Every structure is written in C-alpha cells, then in structure tokens.
C-alpha cells in the first residue's frame, strides 16, 4: 500500500495544509512515514519523516508556506524496506528544473531498470523502486520534462499511481492496468488528486472522477489536460482494495467500497453461510460491514460482539512472555454475554496466515459460544502480490498450504466458508477482466510488453 495526494490551485492559493489534511485521510494506507514536496523559486522543497502524518509533519508549519502546487505521500514499506531515505516524496533539481514524485504501487522491472541505469552512470540515493522513474527522467536531459516522464513511464512495468510535480505543473498518472486507485477532486479553482476519494471530503472538495488506467493528467493554471496512452486489452484493478485496503467511505472506479463490503457479506449468506438463530459478529473493523451484510441477508442478529483496542497499532511488538500469552486479547476482546450458548458466525475480510483466526475462534468459544463458524468475505489468499501489497510468500499463506477443510481444523472452527473469485467480482460489480485477483487465483499480469531500453 501507500497513499498519494496532490493539489494545484489555479488562482494561486496555498495548498500545503490541504495536502496535510488529505494525507491524514489516507493514513490507513501507510503509517511508516509521511512527506510533502513543493517548489519554491525553481527549487524543489521536501519535508518528510518517519511515523504517522502528525508525527512526521507540522500542520502549523505547512500552513505558513505559500505554495500553490504540492504533493504528499504516506508510506507502507513494500519495495525498498524501511530505510528513512526511502520516505517519499522523492525529489531533485535536474537539468530541466525541479521534480518530485510520490508513488503508490510496485514496479516489477525496477531491479533490471536500476541495473541498466547504474551501468549508464546513475547514482541511486534510495533502494526504493520509485526512484527508477526519477532516474529514467534525469537520463533524458534534453527532453521536455513531460515527454521525459511519458517515456519513463513507457519503460516501467507493474503498478503505479503517481503524483508528480514538474516545474509548475501537477501531474497524475495511473498505470495502463489500473492496479491502484487514483481520483481527481475539485474545490472551486483548486484541483486535487488522491489515492482515495475519502480524502476529498475532509478538504471540502468534490470528487470529479477516477483517473483512468493509462491516463496522464497535466494540471496547471489552464486547468486539466488529459493525455491518454493506448489502451491495454484488459485491466487489473486490485480487488483487495474493495475487500480490505480502501476506506469504506471511498468510491473506487465508480464502485462504493461500503456497498461492496456489505454485498460480500450478503454473498456469504446466500451461499448458506449462516445457521438459524446464530449471532453474527464482524472482526473489527475490516469484517464489520461484511458481517452486517451477511446478517441483513440472512435475517440474523448482528452484534458488535468483538471489541477492538484502537490504540494498539500494526507495529505492535510482543516483547515479553506475558504479553505474548495475552496475545490477541490485547487487540481484540469479546463482548461479555453476547455469545452465551449460541452459535456464533464470525466474519473477517480475509485469512492470510491464520494465526489470528485460530486465536479468535478459541476466544469466542471461551466466551460461551456453542459453536464458532468462520466466514471470510474473500476467496482464499493463495498467492503473493507483486503489485504493491506486502503479502507473505506462498509458504506463509495458510490457504496455499492446505485445503479449506484442513484450514478449518487448523483454526479449530466448526465450519469455515469463503466466497469464490466469481462471487467477489460480482459483488464489486466489475467483470473479471477488469480486476486483478492474482493473490486469489494466480492470474498475474502477463508481461506481454518487454521494454526496449535502447534510446536512453
Ligand atoms: S495480487 Fe491481490 S493484492 Fe495484489 S494487486 Fe492483485 S488483487 Fe490486489
């Protein structure tokens, strides 16, 4: 994951506070670092740091800076590890002026391109795949910056949703397969680009539309100009954005994430996933909407039966034996009395390593449930993601190692059910050839176009 946000005010209003607020709305997409970039008198300026947006950046300081175009980034480390120099945006003043870039996605040929560029004399400052795009641009010193960016993008493969500052322009670009989301918003004369539409609400902007797969948008004082590249035979919009990553108040490619999650739950119910008189609860927060959808469709009781401690984050480390033993209870605790003597249907968005699911089943059983049924609002995750999500290898993915009945026994549930890939696509409302479902079915993008590196 990662989140990107960009702003351009055609009437010259300062936008850095908007970037700060936009990044706060995208915080769920990355908690490792946050940063912003703008230009000042022909020079790129960057502020970034490790941690959450409010730890890495000062809202007060940013609000005082008079910049009418800027970009921002929240980072969840995938390619390039957790080194501070890999925090984004990345920027430089090169032969054609200032440039800064913020990237969500993963470039699948970055290593080969970096080796080629290093051979040509490039000195890399980071181990981040996104720098490859900057270096590809800088290695075309005589080219017009926008054309150099377009050429660079024609050389990279994999997933990218980008915001770029090029001199006085804001550029938004989405890869031709559409892996990661990217949307355009507007507030009067100010334009915004965001990984998710939920960030427009916080700054009082309206969503205009999604950036289309393969589209490059140039935003400057004249407004927005769209430059489209030749379409691909099919798209690979990440299905997992709808299942888990995106915020439920976002609309991605015309599909409401909220409605999709409820529909995923209703699909589970239609597959016979809810015994009579069962009490339905979702794993907070990722399974809650699917649980509501399941309960509504099945006519069952929904209860907020599992309570989550919101102050124990993803980076939580289990340092002592005592804390290890407390395990999942530190993060999640069943509501007393809710499950007493009843069959419990517990809904989660996905099941990856299976360790948490096993502990949840035992926790719900321990709180008095007569039976515990696990329902997963996505297909089994059997394959790793190469497009910007830090999933484990197949060896660590439980569904890659065993059948569903074996998995059910492993987590000690009374039953375990998933939805199929076809049902997932139906719930999202897009045909299979518009979606990436590779981590479920191994249907990866075929790298049909091998890049011709000659010409640099
Ligand atoms: S492999 Fe899975 S997580 Fe990765 S882009 Fe495709 S659907 Fe999304």
């Amino acid at each position: 994951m990662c989140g990107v946000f960009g702003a351009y005010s055609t009437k010259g209003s300062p936008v850095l506070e908007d970037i700060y607020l936009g990044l706060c709305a995208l915080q769920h997409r990355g908690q490792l670092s946050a940063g912003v970039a703008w230009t000042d008198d022909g020079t790129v300026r960057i502020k970034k740091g490790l941690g959450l947006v409010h730890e890495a950046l000062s809202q007060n300081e940013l609000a005082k800076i008079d910049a009418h175009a800027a970009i921002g980034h929240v980072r969840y480390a995938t390619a390039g590890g957790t080194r501070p120099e890999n925090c984004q945006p990345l920027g430089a003043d090169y032969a054609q002026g200032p440039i800064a870039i913020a990237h969500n996605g993963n470039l699948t040929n970055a290593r080969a391109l970096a080796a080629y560029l290093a051979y040509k004399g490039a000195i890399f400052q980071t181990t981040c795949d996104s720098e490859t795009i900057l270096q590809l641009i800088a290695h075309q010193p005589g080219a017009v910056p926008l054309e150099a960016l377009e050429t660079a993008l024609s050389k990279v493969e994999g997933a990218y949703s980008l915001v770029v500052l090029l001199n006085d322009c804001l550029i938004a670009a989405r890869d031709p397969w559409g892996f990661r989301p990217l949307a355009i918003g507007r507030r009067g004369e100010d334009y915004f680009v965001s990984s998710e539409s939920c960030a427009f609400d916080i700054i009082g902007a309206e969503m205009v539309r999604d950036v289309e797969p393969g589209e490059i948008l140039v935003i400057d004082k004249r407004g927005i100009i769209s430059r489209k590249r030749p379409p691909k035979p099919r798209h690979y919009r990440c299905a997992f954005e709808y299942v888990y990553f995106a915020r439920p108040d976002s609309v991605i490619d015309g599909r409401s994430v909220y409605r999709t999650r409820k529909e995923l739950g209703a699909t589970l119910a239609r597959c016979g996933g809810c015994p009579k008189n069962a009490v339905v609860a979702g794993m907070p927060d990722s399974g809650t909407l699917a649980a509501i959808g399941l309960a509504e469709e099945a006519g069952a009781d929904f209860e907020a039966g599992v309570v989550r401690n919101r102050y124990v984050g993803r980076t939580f480390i289990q340092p002592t034996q005592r804390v290890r033993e407390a395990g999942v209870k530190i993060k999640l605790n069943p509501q007393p009395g809710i499950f007493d003597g009843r069959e419990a249907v517990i809904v989660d968005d996905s099941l990856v390593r299976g360790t948490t699911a096993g502990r949840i089943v035992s926790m719900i059983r321990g709180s008095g449930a007569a039976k515990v049924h696990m329902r997963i609002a996505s297909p089994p995750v059997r394959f790793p993601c190469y497009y910007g999500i830090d999933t484990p290898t197949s060896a660590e993915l439980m569904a890659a190692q065993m059948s569903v009945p074996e998995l059910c026994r492993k987590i000690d549930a009374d039953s375990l059910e998933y939805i199929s890939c076809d049902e997932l696509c139906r719930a999202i409302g897009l045909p299979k050839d518009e979606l990436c479902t590779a981590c479920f079915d191994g249907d990866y993008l075929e790298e049909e176009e091998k890049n011709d590196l000659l010409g640099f």
Side-chain angles (χ1 to χ4, degrees), residues 150 209 212 215-218 224-229:
E150 287 180 337
R209 65 175 175 87
E212 288 173 27
E215 193 175 17
I216 298 177
L217 290 170
V218 183
I224 297 186
I225 297 165
S226 167
R227 296 162 73 102
K228 292 198 178 133
R229 290 172 281 170

Side-chain angles (χ1 to χ4, degrees), residues 59-132:
Q59 182 184 356
N60 279 339
E61 267 179 39
L62 293 179
K64 288 181 200 145
I65 296 168
D66 186 15
H68 67 279
I71 60 171
H73 188 267
V74 285
R75 178 155 196 263
Y76 179 82
T78 45
T82 56
R83 298 179 185 190
E85 64 268 27
N86 289 340
C87 301
Q88 293 194 30
L90 303 176
D93 295 318
Y94 86 115
Q96 298 287 350
I99 180 169
I101 185 169
H103 171 209
N104 173 210
N106 199 23
L107 306 179
T108 49
N109 65 340
R111 201 173 288 180
L113 286 172
Y116 170 81
L117 287 159
Y119 171 75
K120 287 290 199 182
I123 298 172
F124 280 82
Q125 306 288 321
T126 74
T127 55
C128 186
D129 61 341
S130 320
E131 190 183 351
T132 314

Side-chain angles (χ1 to χ4, degrees), residues 179-180 236-241 245 383-389 391 436-440 444:
F179 280 105
R180 309 258 75 89
Y236 282 82
R237 297 172 164 98
C238 172
F240 231 127
E241 292 277 355
F245 302 133
F383 301 90
C385 174
Y386 301 115
Y387 310 121
I389 306 299
T391 51
C436 177
T437 50
C439 51
F440 307 118
Y444 292 107

Side-chain angles (χ1 to χ4, degrees), residues 192-368:
F192 302 94
V193 181
S194 173
S195 289
E196 286 183 41
S197 62
C198 65
F200 300 140
D201 301 337
I202 196 172
I203 53 166
E206 298 271 318
M207 177 164 174
V208 176
R209 65 175 175 87
D210 295 282
V211 178
E212 288 173 27
E215 193 175 17
I216 298 177
L217 290 170
V218 183
I219 307 171
D220 62 16
K221 48 184 175 297
R222 297 164 297 175
I224 297 186
I225 297 165
S226 167
R227 296 162 73 102
K228 292 198 178 133
R229 290 172 281 170
K232 294 286 177 190
R234 61 157 294 185
H235 293 131
Y236 282 82
R237 297 172 164 98
C238 172
F240 231 127
E241 292 277 355
Y242 296 94
V243 170
Y244 171 68
F245 302 133
R247 258 174 56 162
D249 49 346
S250 287
V251 175
I252 298 177
D253 290 319
R255 266 77 193 161
S256 153
V257 175
Y258 177 88
R259 289 218 184 94
T260 299
R261 287 191 189 154
K262 282 187 74 178
E263 182 54 30
L264 289 168
T267 305
L268 279 165
R270 285 195 287 273
C271 304
C274 188
K276 234 177 162 195
N277 299 325
V279 57
V280 179
M283 290 299 298
D285 296 318
S286 52
T288 303
L289 286 174
I292 293 172
L294 187 154
E296 277 179 8
E297 182 71 20
D301 294 342
F302 169 81
E303 294 279 1
V306 183
V307 178
R308 178 171 166 223
N309 180 343
R310 292 179 196 286
Y311 302 96
V312 180
R314 287 161 169 266
T315 49
F316 178 68
I317 307 160
Q318 302 185 344
T320 66
Q321 185 59 26
R322 186 170 170 212
V323 170
R324 253 192 301 276
E325 279 164 12
V328 78
K329 277 213 153 207
I330 289 176
K331 288 186 188 173
L332 300 162
N333 198 30
Q335 198 68 256
I338 293 287
F339 299 108
D340 270 356
R342 297 185 70 180
E343 292 196 39
V345 172
I346 307 297
V347 185
D348 207 352
D349 62 287
S350 55
L351 201 157
V352 179
R353 288 189 174 88
T355 34
T356 304
R359 288 180 189 151
I360 297 293
V361 171
S362 111
M363 193 175 79
I364 303 293
R365 219 185 277 292
S367 80

